[in-house]
Amino acid sequence: MTKTDTEYQPLLEGITETKQKIKCPNTSLLLAICAACIGGTFQYGYNISIINSPTKSVQNFINQTWLERYEENISEQYLTLLWSSIVSIFTIGGFIGATIGGTLAIKFGRKGTLMMNNAFALLAALLMGLSYPTGLFELLIIGRFFIGVNAGIGICVQPLYLGEIAPRALRGAMAMGTSIFITGGILTGQVIGLNELLGKEEYWPILLSTTCIPAFLQLLILPWFPESPRYLLIDRGDDVGCGTAMKQLHGTDNFDREREDMERERISAMGIKPKKPWELFMDRSLRWQVLTIILINAAQQLNGINAIYFYTDYVFEEAGIPEVNIPYVTVGTGACECLTALTCGMLIESLGRKVLIIGGYTLMAFWCICFTLTLTFQGAGPWIPYLSMGCVFAFILSFGMGPGGVTNILITELFTQTTRPAAYMIGGSVNWLSFFFIGMAFPFIVTKLQQYCFLVFLVVCVLVAVYIFLVVPETKNKTFLEIQTEFQSGEKRKASKADHSPRTTLLSTPL
């Protein structure tokens, strides 16, 4: 080693140490994320999943209750209607929760809203647990509605909290907690719904009441962690509280740059009140960001992932898997999605958001083609069903690596403090409405198009990938103000080109 190398060695070691500090999140930050997620998006995934296991048991309960009340069996059509109401009322509750989540987050804070939100989960667990002993299946509908409200608020406010407490260099990886806990909730629900645990007919009231457990855990753990520092500083003007929160979440030495970013954003937002959702639609400087969150949230439900899960049982049966073993293979799909979310969390800060989401949609489009072909020629050979199984797992992996993981992060990063809650309300509402639409329309799409329905999803995936490539900038390791400036500079360049175009003289009014 030369003398010069020896002189600069301490400096190089200091730089390496600084990088390591930036890359390694504080333990308190990781625990805060877990505390927020366990009662937030975990509930969303868990309550989507657990309702599948007791389908026949709940229908038998409804039929028995109807017989005791009216001394006749319920008609098949009305039984289907009641069961569909129990399942789909969850999305209506979720939509209502998403529309009020942002307002609650502004008024009571991110942490405060998450704490209050557990009241809906506890009430839902109580109602669903009492439905069997009281003989009132109507309580299941009301309970599912309240747990839907809980999930709607959680999936709106919890990503907001995660995006605001994470340091810039780790914002993507920490915000992946949303996707990881959704998939973790789905997997947990699949496992608990197995016959060896709570999947037996007599246990279904207990199974549906277990939604109280994540709520109790959050009520016990989250109070030990601070409110969002960004909310405290910019919305409440609490400098001392912000400093205390950042010291706990980021450590004592590595939050100066984050504090400077917040100060710049506070200055830019000075005198500006948090915007309402309709104000975002009227603000021309935000039109591309608003259009982006509408498209990516709608596409998250309309990209074919629900169709894949619809076809899994059929594909597994054709592959020769016994019917009694199919629930265990389905757990494998949940584990696959959960593992993918974890992998995405490790890659997002190195590859960036744009590469992952475009790559995910591109791969999903490819697997749509493959799955359509394997379903069309399912009987052409004994090995074709195994190709279909491969397509199922490949599609789920592609979804988890792309839109499943990145969508919520983009909503956080495309907006600043005064517009972010309203953006989550818009994005969440679109997501829940799309969820409801695909739940209602998908059976008819499958009936009419059968396996060719995946060609519709192919078009959706391709169009969204092209849009993101052309419009959405890379947001990795940028401040919220830098991202906003990049959008605005892009609009200015387009406006400048339009001004210099000879065709603009033909327009009598501005676009």
Side-chain angles (χ1 to χ4, degrees):
M1 184 179 287
T2 63
K3 182 179 178 181
T4 305
D5 291 334
T6 305
E7 290 174 350
Y8 284 101
Q9 188 65 24
L11 178 61
L12 293 172
E13 290 175 355
I15 293 171
T16 303
E17 185 180 352
T18 302
K19 286 183 177 179
Q20 287 174 348
K21 284 182 180 179
I22 292 173
K23 288 182 180 179
C24 297
N26 192 28
T27 304
S28 180
L29 176 62
L30 290 174
L31 292 175
I33 288 170
C34 292
C37 292
I38 193 66
T41 50
F42 181 89
Q43 288 277 37
Y44 171 81
Y46 186 70
N47 285 285
I48 284 176
S49 179
I50 60 167
I51 199 63
N52 295 320
S53 176
T55 300
K56 291 182 180 178
S57 303
V58 173
Q59 289 178 346
N60 290 337
F61 163 66
I62 294 172
N63 192 35
Q64 180 185 351
T65 305
W66 191 274
L67 182 62
E68 291 173 357
R69 287 184 189 178
Y70 306 108
E71 297 182 351
E72 63 178 7
N73 288 319
I74 190 172
S75 67
E76 190 69 28
Q77 293 84 355
Y78 200 59
L79 178 61
T80 303
L81 176 63
L82 285 174
W83 174 247
S84 299
S85 300
I86 291 171
V87 175
S88 61
I89 198 71
F90 177 76
T91 60
I92 303 299
F95 172 74
I96 293 173
T99 58
I100 64 174
T103 303
L104 293 174
I106 293 169
K107 188 172 183 179
F108 300 106
R110 285 53 163 152
K111 174 187 167 183
T113 302
L114 289 173
M115 294 289 291
M116 293 168 51
N117 190 34
N118 290 300
F120 291 109
L122 296 175
L123 179 59
L126 178 65
L127 292 172
M128 291 189 288
L130 289 174
S131 61
Y132 182 76
T134 58
L136 296 171
F137 56 77
E138 293 85 356
L139 293 181
L140 288 173
I141 299 175
I142 301 171
R144 285 285 291 176
F145 172 78
F146 280 123
I147 198 60
V149 174
N150 170 270
I153 294 173
I155 207 168
C156 174
V157 179
Q158 179 228 290
L160 194 61
Y161 180 70
L162 264 56
E164 292 181 1
I165 67 173
R168 190 205 312 177
L170 292 168
R171 195 167 58 217
M174 297 299 98
M176 277 302 300
T178 297
S179 178
I180 291 168
F181 274 82
I182 288 176
T183 56
I186 292 172
L187 177 61
T188 305
Q190 290 171 340
V191 172
I192 291 180
L194 294 174
N195 282 333
E196 287 79 0
L197 296 174
L198 295 178
K200 292 181 179 179
E201 183 166 0
E202 61 269 25
Y203 294 150
W204 70 262
I206 301 173
L207 175 63
L208 296 181
S209 298
T210 53
T211 190
C212 68
I213 297 174
F216 278 126
L217 286 174
Q218 186 172 74
L219 287 172
L220 288 172
I221 301 170
L222 190 58
W224 297 95
F225 298 97
E227 178 59 85
S228 158
R230 193 174 291 271
Y231 172 81
L232 290 172
L233 182 67
I234 300 175
D235 291 71
R236 294 298 184 206
D238 185 356
D239 291 285
V240 176
C242 173
T244 304
M246 293 191 75
K247 185 176 290 187
Q248 181 179 351
L249 292 169
H250 298 177
T252 56
D253 301 321
N254 59 345
F255 63 84
D256 290 341
R257 189 176 68 159
E258 307 300 325
R259 182 62 183 260
E260 290 173 6
D261 291 343
M262 290 184 196
E263 289 288 354
R264 283 195 290 267
E265 192 170 344
R266 178 168 73 162
I267 292 170
S268 71
M270 200 168 289
I272 302 174
K273 293 182 178 180
K275 292 193 175 184
K276 304 292 190 295
W278 54 88
E279 293 176 325
L280 263 61
F281 285 106
M282 293 186 289
D283 191 340
R284 291 178 64 86
S285 67
L286 296 173
R287 58 184 175 181
W288 284 108
Q289 291 98 311
V290 172
L291 179 60
T292 298
I293 63 167
I294 290 173
L295 286 177
I296 63 177
N297 274 280
Q300 193 174 29
Q301 297 296 339
L302 305 178
N303 57 29
I305 188 65
N306 298 292
I308 285 289
Y309 280 116
F310 179 87
Y311 268 100
T312 50
D313 286 1
Y314 167 74
V315 170
F316 295 153
E317 285 175 11
E318 289 295 314
I321 297 172
E323 187 177 351
V324 293
N325 292 336
I326 286 178
Y328 303 97
V329 183
T330 304
V331 169
T333 63
C336 175
E337 192 171 354
C338 190
L339 181 63
T340 310
L342 289 167
T343 306
C344 184
M346 292 185 286
L347 293 176
I348 194 166
E349 294 300 350
S350 56
L351 296 180
R353 288 69 156 146
K354 196 167 180 177
V355 170
L356 284 176
I357 195 167
I358 292 175
Y361 274 117
T362 304
L363 287 172
M364 288 163 68
F366 174 74
W367 296 122
C368 279
I369 297 172
C370 295
F371 200 42
T372 301
L373 291 173
T374 57
L375 289 176
T376 302
F377 301 102
Q378 191 82 340
W383 48 273
I384 296 292
Y386 295 98
L387 285 181
S388 297
M389 283 184 63
C391 290
V392 167
F393 283 96
F395 193 96
I396 293 171
L397 284 167
S398 303
F399 173 78
M401 287 291 290
V406 182
T407 299
N408 278 304
I409 300 170
L410 284 178
I411 303 175
T412 299
E413 295 183 326
L414 296 184
F415 294 88
T416 55
Q417 192 73 9
T418 56
T419 57
R420 195 175 297 117
Y424 265 103
M425 291 168 70
I426 294 171
S429 300
V430 170
N431 200 301
W432 283 101
L433 285 175
S434 302
F435 191 5
F436 180 75
F437 170 79
I438 199 68
M440 297 297 291
F442 182 67
F444 299 100
I445 296 173
V446 172
T447 301
K448 293 292 184 183
L449 299 178
Q450 296 182 355
Q451 72 270 23
Y452 299 106
C453 67
F454 287 95
L455 297 180
V456 177
F457 303 127
L458 164 67
V459 173
V460 172
C461 291
V462 170
L463 290 178
V464 175
V466 171
Y467 174 85
I468 293 171
F469 177 77
L470 295 175
V471 174
V472 181
E474 178 55 66
T475 58
K476 182 184 72 171
N477 206 24
K478 294 178 183 176
T479 67
F480 298 126
L481 288 177
E482 288 171 348
I483 296 166
Q484 185 184 49
T485 302
E486 194 165 342
F487 260 108
Q488 291 174 348
S489 63
E491 284 202 7
K492 288 177 182 178
R493 285 195 298 270
K494 291 174 185 176
S496 177
K497 289 180 181 178
D499 290 339
H500 288 88
S501 173
R503 288 179 293 178
T504 55
T505 57
L506 299 176
L507 297 175
S508 56
T509 57
L511 290 174

